[in-house]
Amino acid sequence: MKKLAILLPNGSTTLSSLIVTIELIEKANEYFASLGQDPVFTTLIVGEKLSKPLTQHSIHLQYDQTIAQAKHVDLIIVPSLGDNLENAIIENKNNINWIISRYKDGAEVASLCTGAFILAAAGILNGKQCSTHWGSAELFKRMFPKIDLRIERIITEEHGVYTTGGAMSSMNLVLHIIEKYYDRETAIFCAKVFEIDIERNNQLPFVIFSGQKNHEDAEIKKAQQFIETNIGTKLIVDDLSSRFSIARRNFDRRFKRATGNTPLEYMHRVKVEVAKRKLEGSRKTVNEIMEEVGYSDVRAFREVFKKMAGMSPIDYRRKYNKQYAGQ
């Protein structure tokens, strides 16, 4: 039987996805047993210390082993971290070193949501694609600029390293692991029992773009503000750089460094976010909304919208506007 070690990091974590992870693996084992087959995983909850159970609200989890005791594991799952992600990396230095050692010994490693920050700090994601919660993408890019972050992806897998998007997307990653280690039939069974959309593979429809202003470039902040207050205008990057008396190449470089996006990407993201809100709460046509956010070409608008939101404007409205649901 393979050993699945769920690491409880130092500091806070989100226990909801962690509990569902344990329950999904247990259900997969039960299903295998009903078919006369041996369970695939035995699950251990490990941490740096065993001094007391981990308690959050009314949930209590008991550690099974310390990381020092858990030397032979086949798969490690790192759950999401608390709000202070930079501090969490400092607090989990010993846990990170343990993950590095186990990975070098052949263990596979998976992260749920912002647990990807631990894998990134361990160097395990270097040269690989990964995902994390969309709300932490800006910080992740700033801290680990050389890692190929694919924020649109629900799941990534490369060379025994798995990552996933936001907390509830963790269920899709666990189903992916069940399909790999058990079989497709077992994954489908678990998906039906827990009512999980097994084929969901894109988290872009859930992204809320709020602008990236956590930087110190005052002129770029002014440019961002200008973009956000001129949604209905078709802006030209050359005109924008001239407005703020910055040479175009320097403007592009500073904008990208400050926000993580080129000026053109930022314009599109701001406009699409406004379009999304209009699609969610109004009965205006797609063409009307398109014009209100500064686009004149229907095809171009739909292509940009789908790239940013993961689906067409019409599909987005059907998904999030109650008046259009089921149409």
Side-chain angles (χ1 to χ4, degrees):
M1 189 182 300
K2 296 183 181 296
K3 289 185 179 180
L4 165 60
I6 297 178
L7 175 67
L8 291 183
N10 297 327
S12 60
T13 186
T14 304
L15 292 185
S16 55
S17 59
L18 194 56
I19 296 298
V20 173
T21 296
I22 295 170
E23 291 182 342
L24 278 167
I25 295 297
E26 289 181 350
K27 184 60 66 176
N29 282 339
E30 288 175 12
Y31 184 72
F32 248 41
S34 72
L35 300 176
Q37 300 187 59
D38 294 330
V40 173
F41 280 121
T42 180
T43 303
L44 302 172
I45 300 176
V46 304
E48 189 174 348
K49 300 177 182 179
L50 302 183
S51 57
K52 61 180 181 179
L54 180 68
T55 302
Q56 190 176 87
H57 305 301
S58 59
I59 300 174
H60 305 272
L61 287 180
Q62 182 68 49
Y63 294 88
D64 296 308
Q65 290 184 359
T66 64
I67 55 175
Q69 295 169 327
K71 294 182 178 180
H72 304 288
V73 298
D74 299 285
L75 174 64
I76 300 167
I77 292 182
V78 182
S80 60
L81 308 174
D83 293 333
N84 192 333
L85 296 170
E86 293 170 287
N87 189 59
I89 291 174
I90 297 171
E91 289 181 327
N92 285 280
K93 181 178 179 181
N94 291 335
N95 286 327
I96 289 170
N97 289 334
W98 174 76
I99 291 171
I100 293 170
S101 296
R102 301 290 73 77
Y103 182 65
K104 288 180 178 178
D105 288 341
E108 296 195 328
V109 184
S111 66
L112 310 181
C113 193
T114 54
F117 281 75
I118 292 290
L119 303 194
I124 291 174
L125 292 175
N126 292 343
K128 299 181 180 68
Q129 296 181 359
C130 79
S131 187
T132 189
H133 192 285
W134 57 263
S136 303
E138 180 186 352
L139 177 61
F140 191 95
K141 289 178 182 178
R142 195 161 61 244
M143 292 178 65
F144 309 106
K146 295 183 180 180
I147 294 176
D148 186 8
L149 181 63
R150 297 299 181 93
I151 196 60
E152 76 280 2
R153 300 279 293 278
I154 291 289
I155 297 168
T156 68
E157 176 189 355
E158 277 195 68
H159 307 296
V161 180
Y162 310 81
T163 64
T164 188
M168 292 301 104
S169 298
S170 302
M171 295 185 289
N172 290 88
L173 177 58
V174 179
L175 287 178
H176 179 77
I177 289 171
I178 289 172
E179 181 173 350
K180 179 175 179 178
Y181 279 92
Y182 296 74
D183 55 31
R184 175 73 173 176
E185 180 182 341
T186 305
I188 291 173
F189 173 80
C190 292
K192 289 181 176 179
V193 170
F194 287 84
E195 299 186 3
I196 304 168
D197 181 2
I198 195 171
E199 295 301 332
R200 190 163 66 95
N201 57 17
N202 192 322
Q203 70 169 334
L204 286 181
F206 305 103
V207 173
I208 301 172
F209 182 70
S210 57
Q212 299 128 316
K213 298 188 178 69
N214 187 23
H215 60 82
E216 304 302 323
D217 194 324
E219 291 303 305
I220 296 303
K221 284 184 179 179
K222 291 178 183 177
Q224 290 175 267
Q225 184 65 31
F226 185 82
I227 292 169
E228 292 165 11
T229 54
N230 289 274
I231 297 296
T233 304
K234 184 177 181 180
L235 300 174
I236 306 298
V237 178
D238 284 336
D239 296 340
L240 195 61
S241 63
S242 297
R243 172 178 287 273
F244 294 96
S245 302
I246 304 173
R248 172 61 191 271
R249 290 183 63 183
N250 190 34
F251 182 73
D252 288 350
R253 180 182 58 80
R254 285 172 58 177
F255 205 104
K256 176 80 172 180
R257 184 175 61 191
T259 71
N261 292 119
T262 66
L264 185 60
E265 288 170 343
Y266 195 88
M267 290 177 191
H268 285 317
R269 294 190 70 178
V270 169
K271 290 174 180 291
V272 167
E273 192 60 37
V274 172
K276 284 162 62 178
R277 293 198 296 270
K278 290 177 179 289
L279 288 166
E280 292 165 12
S282 77
R283 294 188 64 87
K284 292 181 179 179
T285 67
V286 170
N287 283 5
E288 287 173 330
I289 292 172
M290 173 194 75
E291 292 173 357
E292 288 182 4
V293 297
Y295 291 92
S296 57
D297 186 306
V298 175
R299 182 177 179 180
F301 172 67
R302 288 175 178 168
E303 288 178 353
V304 169
F305 190 96
K306 188 170 184 178
K307 180 180 179 181
M308 300 291 177
M311 60 179 68
S312 71
I314 292 174
D315 288 339
Y316 187 90
R317 182 171 60 185
R318 287 171 181 158
K319 185 177 182 68
Y320 289 111
N321 191 320
K322 188 177 181 180
Q323 298 176 79
Y324 293 89
Q327 291 186 12

